[in-house]
Amino acid sequence: MDFTGLIEDALEAVPVAPGDPSVFVVDEAQDCSVLELDLVRKWAAHAEDGVVLAGDGDQAIYGWRGASARGFLDPGIPPENNYHLTQSYRVPVAVHALASKWIAQASYRYAVEYLPRDHPGEVSDIDGNAKDAMPIVDAAVKAADQGKSVMILASCGYMLRNTITLLRREGVPFYNPYRPTHGGWNPLRGGSGRLLAYLRPDPETYPQDYRIWTWAEAAAWVEVVKAKESFAAGGKTMIRQQAKEDEKEQRSSTIEPGDGKACFGPAWKELQDAFAGRAPLEWIESRILPSKTKLMEYPLAIAKIRGTQTLREKPRICVGTQHSTKGGQADVVILIPDLSPSGMREWTRPGDGRDGIIRTFYVGMTRARERLLMAGRWSAASIDWRRIN
C-alpha cells in the first residue's frame, strides 16, 4: 500500500485514532489533503475535547498533493471557536504591504488582517534573473558578508541551476536546512566534513585547538585520497581498523608519530611539511581520487577563495523553492518570478490553479524579515508583481 492507500484504509476501517486521544491538534492543517482532513475530522468526532486545526489558508500551496484551502476552511467553524493571530513577528512593514496586496488577488480566501512587526523593511528590484544569475549571487553574497541570512527562492528547482553553478564556482557556501537530503541544495554534505577532518592540525583552520588527527578523523579523509601516493603498504587499512576499534571502545585517541610513520610512510613527513608551511590544501588536492573529485571540488573552492575557517561556519545563504522553505525565514529573500509551463497555464486561467500560484509567491514574500529583493523575469512564462490588480 502507498501512503494514500493507508489513509483510505484508516478512513474506512479505523473508527478511532490509535490511543483514543481526547484532543487533536493538527498543525499546518492547510497542508493536509482533503482525504487526510476527512480522516482527521472522523477521528476528531470521537475525541472528548475536540480538535484544533491550526493553519493559514493563504499558505495552502500543496495543491499538487491534494491539499486545498477550501478543504481546510470548509465546513466553517463557529465564530466563537475561531481564533486569529493578528501580529506577525517576522514580516516588516514594506514586505507586509506588498504581500497583503498580492494575496488579495486570490479569488478564494479567508482574509485575516494581521499587523507587521515594528520594522520598516524594504522591497526592491535587482538586475539579473534565473538565466543571468550573477546579480542574484552578488546581492546574496553582499548581504551574507554583512552578517545577514539570505534565501534565494524559485517556484521550481531547475530555475536555480545557474545560481547554484555560480555559487559553487565562486566558492560561496550555501545549503537548504529544510531539505537536508537534497544533494543539489546541500553540496557541502560529506565533502566539507572530510576536508575539515583533514585540516584538524592546521592552525589557521583551528587557531585555538589545532592538533594531530584522531583515528576517526584520519579515517574520514583518507577515503578521498589515492592510496599509492599517500600511504605505506596497508596504511589505509590500519587507519580504518584503528578507527573502528576506537568506536567500539568509545574512545577518541590521536595518532602517535610512530603510528603515523607506519601508516603514511614517506608521506608522513610531507604532511608535516605541508601543515608547517601552511600549504595543506595543495597536498590533499593533488591526491584526490578521481571518483571523489566532484565531492571535494566545492569545499576546496570555498577553502581556497574564502578561507578554511569558512567551512566551520553555518552557511548564511539558503537556496530552494518556496515549497521547501515554507515555515522558514531569512533576513533577506531574493525571489525569482518564473513559472514552469504548467504553472503558466494555471496562472493564465482564473480559479484554484491561479490562486495556488498567488499563494506560492505570497509564501515566498513573507519569508523575509528585513528585505525582499525581486529578481527579473527570465521569460514570458513568469509573473509580473508590478502589475497587481
Side-chain angles (χ1 to χ4, degrees):
M1 299 179 73
D2 62 11
F3 183 74
T4 299
L6 292 171
I7 300 298
E8 290 173 333
D9 190 54
L11 188 61
E12 179 179 347
V14 184
V16 179
D20 192 17
S22 60
V23 178
F24 267 85
V25 180
V26 183
D27 194 19
E28 301 288 358
Q30 80 281 343
D31 294 339
C32 291
S33 70
V34 174
L35 184 66
E36 291 160 1
L37 286 170
D38 285 346
L39 180 59
V40 165
R41 289 180 170 118
K42 174 185 174 179
W43 281 351
H46 295 275
E48 181 181 347
D49 296 310
V51 60
V52 176
L53 299 179
D56 179 0
D58 286 342
Q59 297 191 49
I61 63 173
Y62 289 95
W64 48 269
R65 67 172 300 274
S68 165
R70 297 176 190 272
F72 168 55
L73 295 169
D74 292 330
I77 298 172
E80 63 272 17
N81 291 349
N82 199 340
Y83 301 91
H84 300 158
L85 300 181
T86 57
Q87 176 65 60
S88 173
Y89 295 94
R90 175 195 306 134
V91 184
V93 174
V95 175
H96 174 271
L98 176 66
S100 297
K101 191 175 181 181
W102 175 261
I103 193 63
Q105 299 178 104
S107 63
Y108 178 84
R109 63 187 293 254
Y110 180 89
V112 175
E113 299 296 328
Y114 67 94
L115 298 174
R117 74 184 183 97
D118 187 18
H119 186 285
E122 178 187 341
V123 177
S124 58
D125 296 337
I126 60 171
D127 293 330
N129 52 51
K131 186 176 182 180
D132 177 20
M134 199 66 229
I136 293 174
V137 171
D138 287 341
V141 170
K142 182 178 179 181
D145 287 346
Q146 294 170 347
K148 304 296 184 181
S149 58
V150 183
M151 280 183 179
I152 304 174
L153 302 180
S155 62
C156 296
Y158 73 85
M159 298 168 186
L160 296 163
R161 288 174 186 164
N162 288 353
T163 299
I164 288 172
T165 297
L166 290 173
L167 288 170
R168 292 179 64 111
R169 189 191 75 187
E170 299 295 317
V172 179
F174 70 92
Y175 73 146
N176 187 317
Y178 310 101
R179 291 292 186 274
T181 60
H182 193 301
W185 295 342
N186 295 278
L188 284 173
R189 185 182 59 184
S192 175
R194 293 183 189 276
L195 185 55
L196 281 173
Y198 165 76
L199 290 167
R200 205 62 181 77
D202 181 34
E204 292 185 3
T205 308
Y206 293 91
Q208 305 301 322
D209 54 352
Y210 65 94
R211 54 164 172 73
I212 199 64
W213 306 285
T214 64
W215 291 106
E217 288 165 346
W221 68 263
V222 300
E223 295 300 328
V224 301
V225 301
K226 300 172 184 175
K228 186 175 180 180
E229 300 177 20
S230 311
F231 305 99
K236 183 179 282 193
T237 300
M238 179 180 174
I239 291 170
R240 292 169 177 159
Q241 290 174 342
Q242 290 294 333
K244 289 180 180 178
E245 188 67 24
D246 271 12
E247 182 181 13
K248 181 180 177 181
E249 299 296 328
Q250 296 184 335
R251 66 191 179 205
S252 183
S253 55
T254 55
I255 300 176
E256 298 295 332
D259 291 330
K261 292 178 182 178
C263 293
F264 291 95
W268 181 250
K269 185 176 186 306
E270 293 177 10
L271 279 163
Q272 310 314 304
D273 292 344
F275 280 99
R278 300 295 183 271
L281 291 177
E282 286 83 347
W283 190 92
I284 192 171
E285 187 174 21
S286 67
R287 291 165 172 79
I288 297 293
L289 286 163
S291 61
K292 303 296 183 181
T293 299
K294 187 174 181 180
L295 175 71
M296 300 303 296
E297 64 182 2
Y298 179 47
L300 280 167
I302 292 173
K304 288 188 291 185
I305 295 172
R306 301 186 179 274
T308 55
Q309 283 201 51
T310 304
L311 293 170
R312 300 181 62 190
E313 302 169 357
K314 183 173 74 173
R316 293 187 179 277
I317 298 174
C318 170
V319 172
T321 62
Q322 287 96 315
H323 290 88
S324 73
T325 56
K326 190 173 76 67
Q329 64 180 25
D331 298 323
V332 179
V333 170
I334 302 174
L335 203 52
I336 294 171
D338 300 291
L339 295 170
S340 66
S342 61
M344 193 63 190
R345 286 192 294 270
E346 297 284 2
W347 177 246
T348 56
R349 294 196 296 257
D352 288 347
R354 182 182 175 89
D355 286 355
I357 301 296
I358 292 170
R359 289 194 293 268
T360 296
F361 282 93
Y362 173 77
V363 166
M365 293 174 184
T366 54
R367 299 311 93 200
R369 280 188 49 82
E370 295 180 9
R371 298 172 62 207
L372 176 62
L373 304 181
M374 303 298 209
R377 304 166 72 190
W378 179 9
S379 69
S382 62
I383 64 169
D384 187 351
W385 31 56
R386 298 171 187 83
R387 298 181 180 180
I388 300 177
N389 296 329

